[in-house]
C-alpha cells in the first residue's frame, strides 16, 4: 500500500530541519514527486497513494498544496496535518512514513532511504530549478500538459516509464 504524501512530506521537513534548511511548498511538491517517480522506476510500485496533477509550475499533489498553501512562496513552518475521527471524536495528527504497515514492495526502510537519497540529490536545488527539471521536454508533466492541459492527472505509468529511462541513462 502506498504511503500518504503528507507523511512523506513530513519526513522531508525533518531532513531539512536536521540540515538547517527551509522548504517551501513548491520545493516539497517537487521532492515528493521525484521520490514517487524513482520509486515507480526502482520498485514498480508507487511511493504515494495520491494522484499527481499537471499544474502551471509542474507536477502537484493537491493534498500537499492544501496542507502548505498558507506558506505561500515562503518557508513551511508546520508539518502537514490530518484529521481523523476516533471513537466519535475528531483527532488531529501528524502523519509520517512510520504510520503505515510494510507491504513487502515498498517498506518503511526503503521509503526512508529513498527519500534520504532524494534529499541528497535534489535538496540543494531551488524550487524554481526543480520546477524547470519537471518542465523539460519529454517529462511526464510536459507530455500531460501538452496532451490534456492544466490540472490533468499525470498517470503513474507515464511517470514510471520516464524514470525508468532516466535510470537507464545512469
Amino acid at each position: 500500500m502506498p504511503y500518504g504524501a503528507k507523511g512523506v512530506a513530513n519526513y522531508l521537513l525533518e531532513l531539512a530541519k536536521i540540515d538547517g534548511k527551509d522548504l517551501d511548498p513548491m520545493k516539497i511538491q517537487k521532492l515528493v514527486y521525484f521520490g514517487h517517480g524513482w520509486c515507480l522506476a526502482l520498485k514498480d510500485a508507487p511511493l504515494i497513494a495520491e494522484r499527481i496533477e499537471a499544474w502551471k509550475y509542474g507536477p502537484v499533489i493537491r493534498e500537499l498544496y492544501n496542507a502548505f498553501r498558507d506558506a505561500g512562496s515562503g518557508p513551511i513552518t508546520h508539518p502537514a496535518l490530518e484529521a481523523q475521527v476516533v471513537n466519535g471524536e475528531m483527532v488531529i495528527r501528524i502523519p509520517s512514513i512510520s504510520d503505515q504497515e510494510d507491504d513487502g514492495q515498498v517498506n518503511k526502510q526503503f521509503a526512508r532511504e529513498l527519500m534520504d537519497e532524494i534529499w541528497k540529490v535534489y535538496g540543494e536545488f531551488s524550487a524554481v530549478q526543480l520546477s524547470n527539471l519537471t518542465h523539460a521536454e519529454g517529462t511526464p508533466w510536459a507530455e500531460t500538459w501538452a496532451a490534456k492541459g492544466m490540472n490533468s492527472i499525470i498517470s503513474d505509468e507515464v511517470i514510471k516509464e520516464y524514470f525508468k529511462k532516466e535510470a537507464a541513462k545512469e
Side-chain angles (χ1 to χ4, degrees):
M1 178 117 186
Y3 295 92
K6 289 179 182 179
V8 174
N10 286 340
Y11 185 73
L12 286 165
L13 287 170
E14 290 173 24
L15 294 176
K17 185 176 180 182
I18 289 166
D19 286 351
K21 301 194 176 190
D22 290 325
L23 285 174
D24 62 50
M26 184 189 291
K27 185 169 180 173
I28 208 163
Q29 287 278 352
K30 303 315 174 241
L31 293 172
V32 173
Y33 166 76
F34 283 116
H36 182 66
W38 283 112
C39 190
L40 285 165
L42 298 170
K43 291 284 194 176
D44 282 324
L47 176 65
I48 62 169
E50 293 83 357
R51 310 283 277 171
I52 298 174
E53 299 176 32
W55 287 20
K56 183 177 181 179
Y57 296 108
V60 170
I61 300 130
R62 190 177 294 268
E63 290 80 356
L64 293 184
Y65 174 81
N66 291 333
F68 300 124
R69 71 186 314 164
D70 61 318
S73 61
I76 296 168
T77 58
H78 58 82
L81 302 174
E82 284 184 349
Q84 243 179 342
V85 177
V86 178
N87 298 327
E89 302 267 333
M90 181 68 72
V91 176
I92 304 296
R93 65 181 199 86
I94 300 171
S96 76
I97 289 174
S98 300
D99 290 346
Q100 194 162 323
E101 294 297 317
D102 287 342
D103 72 355
Q105 272 189 296
V106 182
N107 63 38
K108 289 178 258 205
Q109 181 178 342
F110 177 83
R112 284 190 292 268
E113 288 173 359
L114 174 65
M115 294 317 295
D116 289 345
E117 192 63 23
I118 293 297
W119 180 247
K120 280 188 233 168
V121 172
Y122 298 103
E124 294 299 319
F125 290 96
S126 72
V128 172
Q129 289 171 317
L130 293 173
S131 182
N132 289 340
L133 287 175
T134 66
H135 279 67
E137 186 177 327
T139 62
W141 176 89
E143 289 184 6
T144 302
W145 184 267
K148 300 178 183 176
M150 189 164 164
N151 297 348
S152 298
I153 299 297
I154 305 172
S155 81
D156 278 354
E157 196 56 41
V158 170
I159 295 169
K160 179 169 66 174
E161 286 176 32
Y162 174 79
F163 280 91
K164 280 187 178 277
K165 286 179 192 170
E166 289 298 301
K169 292 179 187 176
E170 308 233 349

